[in-house]
Amino acid sequence: MNQEVIIVRGNHTLKGDVRVSGAKNSALKLMAASILGQGETILHNVPLISDIELMSEVLARLGATVVREGHTLRINTADVDSCETPYELVSKMRASISVLGPLIGRFGEARVAMPGGCQIGARKIDMHLVGLEALGVAFDVDHGVLAATTPNGLRGTHVYLEFPSVGATENMLMAAVTAEGHTAIENAACEPEIEDLANMLNAMGARVAGAGTSLIEIEGVPLSTLHPCEHTTVGDRIEAGTFLAGGALTGGPLTVHGIDPAFLRMAIMKLRAMGCDVETGDDWITVRREGPLFSVDIQTLPHPGFPTDLQAQFMLLAALADDVSVITENVFENRFMFAAELMRMGADVTLDDHHAIVRGVDHLEGAPVSSTDLRAGAALVLAGIVADGETSVHHLEHIDRGYEDYVGKLASLGADIRRVSADSLR
Ligand code: UD1
């Protein structure tokens, strides 16, 4: 357990330039895909965050060697000889189940502990299983471990996903690249991280078309023709959106670099609707605001809709807007835990099932608060930057999962922020 807290003094403006790291949600899957390369894959722009350390551990348990050189990972999967991912790792990070598809693609079998529930809803894996079963995978649950086999090999198929699940699309994609024949995934998730994964798979010799749209088509190739590759992870659109929310909150101007603005079209639209000026270039976005923040209604949806991973950061903006905003969470159940912490800082939020009615207030007050998940933690730190007085944010293990040097980057933008041992507060 991390025993540190972040201390922020409020009433500061975030301005200047910041570079985003590589996308966590991409890098984790690229690491899993390296299993199919059967040799040394080189991944660049990999963020220095704890989820990447956990995925390195998952791969090491399978028999891979993972060497980090700054933001580059060298992953050698030539000697992977185990197909089992234990509960102690899967329970710490649900994304561990993304090794299921590539293990099946390489070995025709896999054993992965069932992930169980998590703090942001039930997060089932039924759609992962439906997609893989259509490819010819048979599943058995054995003492909490999901055992996958392919009695008749993997064969191409046509699947229409019930919901464009990111994880289900990726697992199916990584298994289908070595299936015999043609696979079509309809109603596939369209997230930019899926396109990044498909680009890497194609660089390894796979034949994937349409990734980034709702129809992905895969021509299976023999496993022996897949080879390792060198690939650079796309920028993290959620980290970028988090800093943009900070700029919008405090006025900016704030520029994020290392991000394709097309990944954030909906978030940019909402920032403009809230009264911000937003300018974009090839790989940068600038936000500034001189007038008041306007209230806005937001509903989270699969990409290209508004991302659930920016819901807390934008609820914070709504909390300081001029009128009432309604925020609707359509992707995850129970993702409003952030609201309770924000209310401790003076926000006025009423929850009604998957809607949050946010009445803007004119200021927030610093308070001790706890990160309830990764994005909530990041948003609470931003709340502290704009609140009156001092805020201490606890349970940093959530923030450390997905934000590289969050404190350092915010300090470079002008925040009065430090990370201290919890003991020093007593
Ligand atoms: C990924 C991202 C996460 C992001 C989410 C939605 C990673 C590591 N995580 O999570 O940051 O918030 O996409 O953009 O990439 N569901 C089922 N059955 C399934 C699969 C999903 O019911 O088999 C439900 C989930 O419970 C959830 C919704 O579908 O309510 C979306 O899940 P999914 O798109 O699969 O998200 P993840 O891949 O888990």
Side-chain angles (χ1 to χ4, degrees):
M1 180 65 70
N2 194 321
Q3 293 300 324
E4 291 183 324
V5 294
I6 289 177
I7 307 289
V8 203
R9 274 185 216 288
N11 288 318
H12 277 70
T13 299
L14 295 175
K15 63 168 117 176
D17 295 75
V18 65
R19 176 159 288 278
V20 296
S21 302
K24 165 180 93 75
N25 288 352
S26 205
L28 291 171
K29 321 308 166 59
L30 303 175
M31 291 173 76
S34 72
I35 292 170
L36 290 164
Q38 311 162 86
E40 189 183 73
T41 292
I42 303 177
L43 289 180
H44 300 292
N45 202 28
V46 178
L48 291 156
I49 52 174
S50 65
D51 268 10
I52 296 291
E53 299 309 318
L54 270 173
M55 187 54 103
S56 301
E57 226 177 291
V58 169
L59 292 176
R61 284 295 183 94
L62 297 171
T65 54
V66 185
V67 177
R68 181 185 266 288
E69 294 160 2
H71 290 94
T72 294
L73 285 186
R74 291 177 178 275
I75 308 170
N76 196 325
T77 61
D79 296 332
V80 166
D81 55 2
S82 159
C83 288
E84 177 138 1
T85 303
Y87 183 66
E88 67 197 82
L89 292 175
V90 179
S91 62
K92 283 189 202 153
M93 184 179 66
R94 182 184 150 87
S96 310
I97 58 159
S98 54
V99 297
L100 187 60
L103 282 175
I104 293 170
R106 176 155 167 192
F107 298 106
E109 59 178 43
R111 287 174 62 82
V112 177
M114 297 281 281
C118 88
Q119 284 180 321
I120 53 172
R123 296 190 82 163
K124 294 183 290 186
I125 57 164
D126 53 323
M127 282 183 270
H128 297 238
L129 306 191
V130 166
L132 292 167
E133 273 168 354
L135 285 165
V137 181
F139 288 104
D140 205 5
V141 178
D142 173 16
H143 297 278
V145 173
L146 186 66
T149 51
T150 47
N152 302 307
L154 282 173
R155 50 178 192 276
T157 186
H158 191 135
V159 161
Y160 190 99
L161 291 180
E162 187 182 326
F163 178 91
S165 152
V166 172
T169 302
E170 291 166 338
N171 253 330
M172 202 180 160
L173 171 60
M174 289 190 275
V177 291
T178 64
E180 202 181 316
H182 177 261
T183 296
I185 311 175
E186 270 195 88
N187 199 26
C190 304
E191 270 68 3
E193 293 77 24
I194 292 184
E195 199 174 342
D196 199 25
L197 173 61
N199 288 341
M200 172 165 152
L201 291 168
N202 285 340
M204 292 165 76
R207 292 176 61 199
V208 182
T213 76
S214 58
L215 173 62
I216 302 181
E217 297 195 79
I218 304 132
E219 287 301 331
V221 297
L223 176 68
S224 58
T225 64
L226 292 180
H227 50 79
C229 72
E230 189 162 348
H231 181 87
T232 300
T233 314
V234 286
D236 195 318
R237 66 195 161 97
I238 305 301
E239 186 192 5
T242 303
F243 286 120
L244 291 173
L249 195 65
T250 63
L254 184 153
T255 302
V256 289
H257 297 267
I259 189 70
D260 180 345
F263 293 178
L264 280 164
R265 282 177 67 185
M266 189 61 76
I268 290 172
M269 233 171 82
K270 293 296 176 187
L271 286 173
R272 288 185 173 137
M274 295 184 101
C276 301
D277 282 330
V278 184
E279 276 177 73
T280 60
D282 278 359
D283 73 339
W284 56 265
I285 306 168
T286 299
V287 65
R288 60 166 64 75
R289 179 176 61 82
E290 275 153 22
L293 265 174
F294 299 127
S295 59
V296 75
D297 292 344
I298 291 177
Q299 51 172 322
T300 67
L301 285 169
H303 192 78
F306 189 91
T308 175
D309 288 351
L310 287 176
Q311 184 248 101
Q313 299 87 320
F314 276 65
M315 183 186 289
L316 167 61
L317 288 172
L320 288 164
D322 64 337
D323 208 337
V324 181
S325 305
V326 178
I327 298 186
T328 303
E329 174 57 59
N330 292 312
V331 179
F332 287 112
E333 5 166 355
N334 303 341
R335 213 183 192 180
F336 282 144
M337 292 168 301
F338 166 71
E341 293 301 302
L342 198 60
M343 283 191 265
R344 302 187 60 250
M345 298 178 73
D348 181 351
V349 184
T350 308
L351 298 180
D352 179 7
D353 191 26
H354 65 304
H355 305 289
I357 295 117
V358 187
R359 292 181 179 80
V361 294
D362 61 11
H363 74 286
L364 294 175
E365 286 170 10
V369 286
S370 282
S371 304
T372 49
D373 70 40
L374 166 59
R375 307 304 169 187
L380 287 167
V381 174
L382 295 182
I385 291 170
V386 82
D388 291 344
E390 189 174 279
T391 295
S392 53
V393 182
H394 298 249
H395 290 291
L396 304 188
E397 66 276 10
H398 294 293
I399 298 177
D400 292 341
R401 283 187 46 210
Y403 286 88
E404 175 176 334
D405 191 20
Y406 194 45
V407 166
K409 288 185 184 184
L410 288 170
S412 77
L413 291 167
D416 180 344
I417 185 169
R418 66 206 153 93
R419 190 170 168 136
V420 299
S421 138
D423 291 341
S424 67
L425 298 180
R426 293 196 184 109

